Amino acid sequence: MSASLDLLINALVSGLLLGGFYAAVSIGIAIAFGMLDIVNIAHPAFILLGSYVAFIGNSVFGIDPILATLIALPAFYALGMLAYQVYYVAFERRDDQSLRGLSFFFGLLFITEVTLVLTFGVDYRLVKASYIGPSLNLGLFDLPLRLLVPFLVSMAMVVGLQLFLSHTFVGRAIQAVAQDQQALRLMAANPIKIKRIAFGLSIGTAALAGAFLIIIQPVEPSIGREYIGRVFAICVLGGLGSFPGMVIAAITLGVAESLTATFLGPSWAPAVAFGILLVTLAVRPSGILGR
Amino acid sequence: MRGLTFSLVLIAVAVAIFALGRWYSNSYAFFAAYIVVQYIVLGTAWNILGGYTGYVNFGVTAFFAIGAYSTVVLYKLVPAMPLPVMIVIGGVLAGIVGLGTGYLTLRLRGVFFSIATLALAVVVQTLITNWDFVGGARGAYVLRPRAAPLIGGEYIQYLFLVMLGLCVIVLATARAIERSGLGYGFAAIRDDEAAAEASGVPTLKLKLIATVLSGGFMGMAGAPLPYYVTYLDPSSGFSLNYAVNAIAMPLIGGTSSWLGPAVGAVLVGGLQEWLKVVQLREWLGIGVPSEANVLVAGLLMVAFVILAPQGIVGLFQRKK
């Protein structure tokens, strides 16, 4: 009895920490899909790109994986701006987002995955850092540092972005774009420029999330696909575009997956996100904190 | 009556292709041609939903693998069952899954359906990986009979003939849909769903019909796969290549008519089969791993959706 209670508490704690990481994975989609209405299904591919940047930084230059992606952040921001520009010129301006725009991102996802396979092979890659391995024992439960560090940095990122969106001019303009693009144009601000900045930010978060991913588990190129269901389940459950809702949804999914992995076996965990996604879409498409 | 004429022409073409294959009598040619014809079926099936109604299904692998794994199950339960029966059963199962997913998500904006199908592929793979009866993660072996029933010769010839027959059925269905009230309903949904709904088009019902047909045909395309590969494991049955090819081929060929996916499948599928054979290593002077030939479909797809949204068929129509 006490053994299974122990198991339960540990599963809950690691689920909570995992949820923090899922928030970092999903926040880019919360911006792109929730605010800009860009269904970037290639987001997990950008996350994997972040993982491999962390891997190179760590294995070649010996720097911390999170620091490596922080250094690469401007490059990811530029990549995001470029991707949005292509998307805008080729699809949004032609009002052809649904069929061809989606296929464009699907193509990007596939191309990135195959390119990573061609470059790095299908072997699992991992990074070394002092906080990978040990855990804090707090008597009742363990806090694995490899989950705790991404959790803390991720929460800092979410809070930072929330403050940026609500307190700076550009941040408020991004929120305005989400509400009414035409009105923004009437205020003499260029919505396309604002959206480009926001999409750059969205891809920037993917770099950091990639570092967290490779800290938490070894990474190989096709792993990104598992995250598509997860990120969209989290964003839909959280109510599109709401950060607090997203964090709650991320932690809910983290706990649900952790409990499933503990009591049914880890191979069942990927199905949890889909179940949550389907139930949410069928019962409450506006999400838990949706209007 | 024109539909009947069209079907007869298709059958004649199929018979001619098969006769040519028998005359050429090279088993490699049958293996390569099987893949191309399989992609015509997959691409056309995807296009019935994606091209005609504008709803993007990313879960091609889910439907395809349901067909493939239903054959594995039937093979284990009733080894003597004829292949066409297995194909029908696989198609029905995939159609039912399409109906369920569609019913839950098609009432919302199109992107939610797309996202749900992406996630569906992961879930069906999880279920299959955990299902020991069909081999789980280890995979399952299916013994291919040595000789073909009815027509004699190698079994691959029979597989090719079956897939060719399926191809005729799918192409005739797609063309019939285009020219029927159903097709006009689909086009109305694609162009402006709200307006269609307001004019009395039963949009949900039509979308469900398209999803079931599309998913069912994908399942049928997958059903002979275990006999083709003889060893099926989740990572090959759920390979992303199927999804990318099934989506890329209609987009490259053109989504507005039945001809587009067929043209795309023949060109891209043929190109991939050709790249498999030629020694790229000697040709380019650098080492090129086997993944490179699937990259072609992804790159072409992105290039076409950006530069030629109407596909190859659209390019020719504009010139007229």
Side-chain angles (χ1 to χ4, degrees):
Chain A
M1 184 58 212
S2 81
S4 72
L5 186 70
D6 212 37
L7 217 56
L8 179 70
I9 291 172
N10 272 302
L12 283 175
V13 169
S14 63
L16 180 77
L17 297 179
L18 197 64
F21 159 63
Y22 284 168
V25 173
S26 313
I27 193 166
I29 292 284
I31 296 173
F33 185 31
M35 295 181 170
L36 311 177
D37 210 20
I38 301 169
V39 192
N40 176 18
I41 50 176
H43 196 72
F46 288 110
I47 291 174
L48 269 185
L49 222 50
S51 293
Y52 279 93
V53 166
F55 167 70
I56 293 172
N58 186 257
S59 61
V60 179
F61 303 106
I63 46 177
D64 182 84
I66 297 178
L67 186 64
T69 51
L70 275 176
I71 295 169
L73 213 50
F76 275 81
Y77 180 70
L79 187 66
M81 297 225 287
L82 178 72
Y84 176 71
Q85 193 60 29
V86 173
Y87 178 77
Y88 169 70
V89 171
F91 308 106
E92 213 168 62
R93 210 172 48 182
R94 290 191 206 146
D95 204 21
D96 195 7
Q97 295 103 312
S98 63
L99 179 60
R100 278 167 246 287
L102 270 174
S103 311
F104 167 71
F105 283 120
F106 190 61
L108 277 192
L109 172 80
F110 180 72
I111 291 171
T112 312
E113 185 180 316
V114 177
T115 310
L116 285 174
V117 169
L118 291 175
T119 319
F120 295 97
V122 289
D123 302 333
Y124 279 94
R125 305 286 174 173
L126 42 88
V127 288
K128 293 188 189 74
S130 56
Y131 44 83
I132 296 177
S135 39
L136 287 178
N137 192 323
L138 298 184
L140 202 56
F141 53 85
D142 287 327
L143 276 180
L145 285 180
R146 73 186 313 161
L147 282 173
L148 185 64
V149 170
F151 174 84
L152 293 175
V153 184
S154 157
M155 284 300 122
M157 181 167 83
V158 174
V159 171
L161 273 172
Q162 179 74 62
L163 289 176
F164 170 77
L165 285 177
S166 52
H167 284 80
T168 63
F169 179 78
V170 177
R172 287 180 183 167
I174 292 172
Q175 287 192 310
V177 156
Q179 283 179 12
D180 193 336
Q181 186 167 327
Q182 217 50 45
L184 198 68
R185 193 163 259 144
L186 294 175
M187 302 294 135
N190 180 359
I192 306 310
K193 190 179 153 196
I194 300 296
K195 286 173 101 170
R196 202 159 50 220
I197 293 172
F199 199 73
L201 281 176
S202 155
I203 300 304
T205 65
L208 274 173
F212 303 157
L213 174 64
I214 200 167
I215 289 170
I216 289 175
Q217 63 174 93
V219 163
E220 55 100 10
S222 74
I223 213 171
R225 270 181 271 153
E226 285 178 20
Y227 283 87
I228 300 174
R230 281 191 188 125
V231 291
F232 281 98
I234 289 167
C235 285
V236 172
L237 182 64
L240 296 170
S242 139
F243 284 1
M246 182 205 68
V247 173
I248 295 171
I251 288 173
T252 309
L253 180 66
V255 171
E257 278 193 356
S258 175
L259 290 177
T260 312
T262 308
F263 294 105
L264 287 177
S267 58
W268 284 104
V272 175
F274 181 74
I276 289 181
L277 177 68
L278 216 53
V279 170
T280 316
L281 285 180
V283 179
R284 192 172 164 73
S286 56
I288 32 177
L289 292 189
R291 270 156 282 175
Chain B
M1 245 355 223
R2 284 210 53 200
L4 187 66
T5 325
F6 178 77
S7 306
L8 290 175
V9 170
L10 269 186
I11 291 171
V13 171
V15 168
I17 290 173
F18 188 71
L20 192 72
R22 280 296 272 252
W23 172 75
Y24 188 56
S25 187
N26 174 329
S27 54
Y28 165 71
F30 277 103
F31 275 97
Y34 174 91
I35 293 290
V36 174
V37 177
Q38 168 195 297
Y39 278 131
I40 299 181
V41 177
L42 264 184
T44 310
W46 182 85
N47 204 41
I48 289 176
L49 182 67
Y52 297 170
T53 73
Y55 277 77
V56 186
N57 176 2
F58 288 119
V60 176
T61 49
F63 297 100
F64 186 75
I66 286 170
Y69 272 96
S70 83
T71 300
V72 173
V73 172
L74 292 172
Y75 171 80
K76 295 210 167 190
L77 294 177
V78 196
M81 186 182 282
L83 185 60
V85 180
M86 290 180 171
I87 291 177
V88 171
I89 294 174
V92 169
L93 286 175
I96 291 171
V97 171
L99 184 68
T101 318
Y103 185 74
L104 287 177
T105 55
L106 278 173
R107 279 169 295 182
L108 303 160
R109 281 172 52 207
V111 291
F112 289 114
F113 172 74
S114 302
I115 295 162
T117 54
L118 262 175
L120 178 70
V122 173
V123 164
V124 177
Q125 183 168 2
T126 307
L127 294 179
I128 299 281
T129 308
N130 284 293
W131 191 13
D132 281 331
F133 183 70
V134 293
R138 279 174 290 108
Y141 288 92
V142 171
L143 288 181
R144 189 195 295 154
R146 196 167 283 277
L150 305 173
I151 55 166
E154 284 170 300
Y155 195 74
I156 182 66
Q157 300 193 358
Y158 178 65
L159 282 179
F160 177 64
L161 184 66
V162 167
M163 194 49 97
L164 210 54
L166 190 57
C167 180
V168 169
I169 294 171
V170 171
L171 285 177
T173 310
R175 189 173 174 278
I177 288 173
E178 256 172 54
R179 285 154 195 253
S180 67
L182 200 59
Y184 295 128
F186 289 171
I189 292 172
R190 179 186 57 202
D191 294 339
D192 192 335
E193 189 164 342
E197 181 82 54
S199 338
V201 178
T203 53
L204 181 63
K205 195 176 128 201
L206 290 185
K207 285 187 283 186
L208 284 176
I209 292 173
T211 314
V212 170
L213 277 176
S214 172
F217 281 133
M218 286 174 188
M220 288 183 169
L225 184 77
Y227 284 104
Y228 181 83
V229 293
T230 67
Y231 166 69
L232 186 66
D233 69 327
S235 65
S236 69
F238 288 88
S239 162
L240 197 60
N241 300 344
Y242 294 119
V244 170
N245 277 328
I247 297 168
M249 287 163 180
L251 287 170
I252 291 167
T255 52
S256 54
S257 79
W258 64 271
L259 190 62
V263 168
V266 170
L267 288 181
V268 180
L271 181 65
Q272 287 175 342
E273 290 304 307
W274 179 72
L275 284 176
K276 261 187 216 166
V277 188
V278 295
Q279 292 293 317
L280 269 184
R281 199 178 299 271
E282 291 169 15
W283 200 46
L284 294 175
I286 46 167
V288 180
S290 59
E291 284 88 356
N293 68 44
V294 297
L295 193 57
V296 169
L299 290 171
L300 277 177
M301 171 166 86
V302 170
F304 265 88
V305 293
I306 293 175
L307 302 172
Q310 303 306 317
I312 294 171
V313 172
L315 290 178
F316 282 100
Q317 279 168 345
R318 213 173 296 159
K319 272 182 193 159
K320 244 188 253 175

